[in-house]
Amino acid sequence: MDDLDALEGKVALVRVDFNVPLADGEVGDDTRLRASLTTVRELARRGAVVLLLSHFGRPKGKPRPEFSLSAVLPAYRAILGRDVRLLENWTKPSAKRAVSTMRPGGVALLENTRFYPGETTNDAELAAAMATLGDIYINDAFSAAHRAHASTVGVARLLPAYAGRALQAELAALQAAFGQSQRPITAMIGGAKISTKLDILARLITKVDNLLIGGGMANTFLAAQGAAIGKSLAEHDLKVAASQILDAAKREGCAVYLPTDAVLAKELTANALSRRTTGIIDVAPDEMILDIDPSTTAAFAGVLQSSRFLVWNGPLGAFETPPFDQATFALARVAATLTRDGSLISLAGGGDTVSALSQIDVKTALSYVSTGGGAFLEWVSGKPLPGIEALMNE
Ligand code: ADP
Ligand code: MG
């Protein structure tokens, strides 16, 4: 944004990530809303009209009220301290007219980009519809930069494109942290988005000394090794890919740690009565692995103790539902303590991972917390992010 010329009367399209968790219809964690403030305020102060673009949940290409960004608007208005209007049906000519009536410094939020099927396919027509609304494009959503979508790549190629302040700060912080990285480097990966993150693991094993796998991610690996995992969250059609990663890790000299025991239950409810801790070979067909157990947690903690650099994405269990939060919280505390003691540089990222860290107040105890999950992992693994490439190759 340092390269921006005069903005008075210009319309700036700004890609933000307002895909925030909701609790009872209200914004649960507003980290991502606040992340956009620096850019939006700077543009408004310089006299631009600001149009915010974001996805929200997975409406699968159709306008569905439960995925309307109107749910986020009251919280965002309060944070920004001014009125923000919602622009629906923004591919219609009437939207262009509405924008032309906005005053310099005015801010509007375009309805969920994923209400259109062309968003995730990076459709040229949808990107053109976005581009006709603005004069310049700014991407300020690091956490969406790993996706080649119309609002992150297509539109960036049609308008003069810039990196927003939050995106700039995020890249600078990641680069600074990696500039200090020392071996052994450990990656701790959990969470639920297995299919989107498996490719990244294949790259990560070439970069790190240790790979700790927990959460839903571990289940696919356990199944690949022939364990019966009952009705645990897993992607059985990715078992071959998981085995290949384990073989490649061996060749690369990357030590992979999988859970040896697990906390199981028949249903995912708080304090589920059916819960028990057992060897992973003992899972019954009607049981699910919902957390790694204390002995695996201790083993993972031991690896962290002998590590100098940690990259963490993905909760190690279904942490929203106690007591399946035990391993996630325990290892977050270990990482925080080692960081405070100066023996570990710790980086964590991911919407849910960050929300877990916030819940036990250790967010500020880690060296750096990224807004991105998938984007964070892809950046760490050395993969170019399409949303950032699109800003450089205009
Ligand atoms: P992030 O948002 O940090 O990138 P993900 O979105 O990939 O992480 O995954 C977070 C989700 O994974 C959480 O909702 C958590 O409940 C879920 N999860 C973790 N472990 C398990 C498990 N063993 N079974 C089911 N869900 C799990
Ligand atoms: Mg998530």
Side-chain angles (χ1 to χ4, degrees):
M1 282 173 61
D2 293 336
D3 297 337
L4 282 170
D5 295 326
L7 288 173
E8 189 71 39
K10 293 260 175 73
V11 180
L13 279 167
V14 184
R15 178 54 158 101
V16 292
D17 185 352
F18 283 2
N19 188 30
V20 293
L22 292 185
D24 299 324
E26 288 191 28
V27 171
D29 183 67
D30 63 7
T31 313
R32 286 177 167 174
L33 303 185
R34 292 184 184 278
S36 73
L37 289 180
T38 311
T39 294
V40 172
R41 287 194 175 134
E42 180 176 336
L43 293 169
R45 185 165 28 89
R46 293 177 61 182
V49 166
V50 181
L51 301 183
L52 303 171
L53 279 166
S54 179
H55 72 287
F56 185 53
R58 299 189 173 205
K60 307 244 163 81
K62 277 191 224 68
R64 287 167 56 186
E66 65 271 36
F67 293 105
S68 170
L69 274 167
S70 57
V72 173
L73 217 47
Y76 191 61
R77 283 189 187 121
I79 290 170
L80 189 64
R82 60 159 75 205
D83 190 38
V84 179
R85 60 181 291 190
L86 184 71
L87 210 59
E88 294 170 282
N89 301 318
W90 45 263
T91 57
K92 302 250 167 71
S94 55
K96 176 90 184 162
R97 286 197 296 276
V99 171
S100 68
T101 66
M102 287 174 69
R103 302 212 178 151
V107 182
L109 174 62
L110 272 56
E111 182 57 288
N112 196 346
T113 54
R114 289 193 189 163
F115 279 5
Y116 302 91
E119 163 69 337
T120 54
T121 58
N122 190 14
D123 176 64
E125 235 174 90
L126 186 67
M130 291 174 191
T132 52
L133 292 174
D135 302 304
I136 60 166
Y137 170 81
I138 292 168
N139 191 340
D140 211 20
F142 175 78
S143 47
H146 59 310
R147 299 192 171 110
H149 290 178
S151 68
T152 56
V153 170
V155 63
R157 300 213 185 271
L158 299 174
L159 292 174
Y162 303 85
R165 297 298 180 196
L167 179 64
Q168 180 188 352
E170 179 104 38
L171 291 173
L174 285 173
Q175 267 150 9
F178 270 79
Q180 305 181 325
S181 71
Q182 284 176 30
R183 296 189 167 258
I185 302 176
T186 296
M188 183 157 74
I189 309 294
K193 290 180 188 158
I194 299 144
S195 53
T196 56
K197 289 179 184 166
L198 213 55
D199 280 353
I200 309 177
L201 288 196
R203 298 173 71 99
L204 260 187
I205 52 167
T206 67
K207 313 253 170 198
V208 304
D209 303 296
N210 306 301
L211 175 61
L212 312 177
I213 311 179
M217 182 66 88
N219 299 339
T220 301
F221 283 86
L222 295 171
Q225 290 188 324
I229 57 166
K231 55 173 185 149
S232 303
L233 173 77
E235 300 206 25
H236 290 274
D237 50 341
L238 293 175
K239 282 193 289 202
V240 175
S243 297
Q244 283 166 350
I245 290 173
L246 293 176
D247 291 341
K250 231 174 251 160
R251 289 196 300 275
E252 296 283 343
C254 169
V256 179
Y257 297 78
L258 283 165
T260 46
D261 297 275
V263 183
L264 320 172
K266 290 189 173 143
E267 66 286 338
L268 179 52
T269 50
N271 303 309
L273 288 176
S274 61
R275 78 179 186 279
R276 64 191 184 103
T277 300
T278 182
I280 46 129
I281 41 167
D282 265 353
V283 184
D286 61 347
E287 287 181 315
M288 291 174 278
I289 300 173
L290 293 171
D291 199 8
I292 62 175
D293 75 303
S295 65
T296 302
T297 305
F300 283 16
V303 176
L304 296 190
Q305 259 139 26
S306 62
S307 300
R308 290 285 162 272
F309 199 77
L310 169 69
V311 174
W312 178 14
N313 168 251
L316 301 157
F319 78 100
E320 298 92 337
T321 315
F324 309 110
D325 51 9
Q326 295 293 303
T328 302
F329 290 164
L331 286 160
R333 289 194 178 101
V334 169
T337 304
L338 293 170
T339 307
R340 276 198 203 103
D341 293 349
S343 74
L344 184 73
I345 295 176
S346 52
L347 274 65
D352 295 295
T353 307
V354 174
S355 145
L357 295 172
S358 304
Q359 270 181 47
I360 55 164
D361 282 325
V362 298
K363 207 168 115 182
T364 53
L366 300 192
S367 310
Y368 184 67
V369 173
S370 171
T371 54
F376 167 69
L377 275 188
E378 289 202 10
W379 189 92
V380 165
S381 74
K383 195 171 168 201
L385 304 183
I388 291 168
E389 296 280 287
L391 303 177
M392 303 201 275
N393 301 333
E394 52 160 296

